[in-house]
Amino acid sequence: MSVLWVLGAGQLGAMLKQAGTPLGIDVRPVDIESTETLALAPTDIVTAEREEWPETVATKQLATHSNFVNLATFPQLADRLTQKQWLDRLELATAPWFPVEADSTAAKAYDVLGERVLMKRRRGGYDGKGQYWLKQSEGAEIPEDWKGQAIAEQAINFDEEASLVGVRGKNGETYFYPLTLNLHINGILYASISPLERLKPLQSKAEAMLSKLMNALDYVGVMAMECFRVGDELLINELAPRVHNSGHWTQAGASICQFENHVRAVTGLPLAPAEVKNQSMMVNLIGVDLNYDWLNLQGLELYWYKKEVRPGRKVGHLNFCSGSHSVLESALTKLDLPEPYPEALQWLAKNLPKL
Ligand code: ATP
Ligand code: MG
């Protein structure tokens, strides 16, 4: 029996392992700092829970394996510059942008992109880290160490943020989950809700966009597309060539979760459309201590990542799924979480479809 190795041993790797268990697949997440000699067999398969990695004893072994699925795609999407170039080449709508080069100036940025410009480091950014706002009103300049290292993006006055999680099999077939509405606070995902009737008119457009990308990259597995909704339009914010935080609700709310779909796709097992159950909501646990009192709430599933709790760090998530509006509403009123959670819980309550 082949092993599915995962480059990275964070929560995504752990949840891939959990999803592989009922399928009888031995999923082995590997810490990138591991110095072990891995017992890699030629028929094994390799995937990743992260889009980039340093060269280490562990990553060198995995990245030289001939069955590393999507190996060539990771550097393309991990660098925001080449990711944006892919979007432009495929004529997929995205926030207007330009590469920040040695001779780039803030004046040029304001001229080309408007008075609010968001610089994003090409590599390594996550949870809003690696961002730098240029505001004309504040006379901001481009710091030297951002030149050649970043892209500059127009500030988008979006109505809301939504993401699409899709999966593509080795034979090219694709399946998608319903669009998920996401709330970010300070650049970090706090809450998601799906499915939403009012996002349905955008579903086929979103699927066509992500299909175009996955097909162009001959991608296999789960990919997530984060979007800004501006009126009836979707602008792609960024892509993740992996399972994604905004798809965590599928663990509770779909017959096949994103993790199982990814495992099935990369190991060449059959894919099937996921049946979506009821209403789901997801709340990220960010910098908060574990509290088993949460388990008193009906409709709740707890995922605790066993990481040291630090401010701003994702240490777990709560999934809620129920066919009863009042169960979900009451969970939101009973959840006792510190600032800025009241905003996130109110946002969920506001978006929760009324029966
Ligand atoms: P992730 O943790 O999803 O990888 P990230 O830190 O890599 O996130 P982005 O997704 O690019 O970075 O940005 C984080 C958040 O910042 C977005 O979800 C959005 O709320 C806000 N943001 C990003 N780009 C823009 C933009 N051009 N205009 C306005 N807000 C933006
Ligand atoms: Mg993002």
Side-chain angles (χ1 to χ4, degrees), residues 28-88:
R28 293 193 205 160
V30 180
D31 186 331
I32 58 169
E33 298 304 339
S34 163
T35 51
E36 234 177 274
T37 301
L38 306 170
L40 283 159
T43 54
D44 287 353
I45 294 164
V46 183
T47 186
E49 62 149 24
R50 49 193 291 157
E51 49 268 60
E52 64 179 344
W53 50 83
E55 207 178 85
T56 64
V57 173
T59 64
K60 264 194 270 184
Q61 293 178 73
L62 294 169
T64 50
H65 193 280
S66 57
N67 291 338
F68 196 144
V69 184
N70 306 314
L71 184 61
T73 294
F74 287 104
Q76 294 293 312
L77 297 188
D79 183 339
R80 285 188 190 272
L81 177 76
T82 47
Q83 183 180 130
K84 281 288 209 181
Q85 287 168 338
W86 267 102
L87 296 177
D88 287 355

Side-chain angles (χ1 to χ4, degrees), residues 52 135 204 241 302:
E52 64 179 344
K135 293 183 184 160
S204 58
L302 167 66

Side-chain angles (χ1 to χ4, degrees), residues 162-181:
S163 58
L164 184 71
V165 174
V167 62
R168 184 172 181 275
K170 287 193 169 152
N171 58 2
E173 64 181 338
T174 53
Y175 295 99
F176 299 91
Y177 292 100
L179 278 161
T180 300
L181 191 69

Side-chain angles (χ1 to χ4, degrees), residues 80 95 118 120 125-129 131 133 153-156 158 161 184 187 226 228 237-238 244:
R80 285 188 190 272
L118 184 56
K120 297 181 177 178
Y126 68 98
D127 292 348
K129 295 179 179 72
Q131 293 192 352
W133 277 100
E153 244 182 47
Q154 184 174 85
I156 303 299
F158 50 80
E161 294 187 78
H184 293 84
E226 296 181 23
F228 301 127
N237 170 31
E238 62 166 351
H244 191 256

Side-chain angles (χ1 to χ4, degrees), residues 225-284:
M225 176 177 86
E226 296 181 23
C227 296
F228 301 127
R229 181 179 73 76
V230 184
D232 297 334
E233 295 304 321
L234 289 176
L235 290 183
I236 299 178
N237 170 31
E238 62 166 351
L239 301 162
R242 54 172 169 77
V243 287
H244 191 256
N245 198 167
S246 71
H248 287 4
W249 65 266
T250 62
Q251 293 169 311
S255 56
I256 302 172
C257 70
Q258 63 163 347
F259 301 98
E260 177 169 342
N261 256 324
H262 187 74
V263 170
R264 286 193 190 199
V266 297
T267 57
L269 290 175
L271 301 179
E275 289 190 20
V276 174
K277 311 171 203 167
N278 303 322
Q279 183 68 55
S280 289
M281 311 186 293
M282 190 278 315
V283 174
N284 265 338

Side-chain angles (χ1 to χ4, degrees), residues 291 294 297 331-338 345:
N291 180 353
W294 293 322
L297 299 174
L332 291 177
T333 56
K334 287 183 189 149
L335 254 188
D336 184 19
L337 290 166
L345 301 177

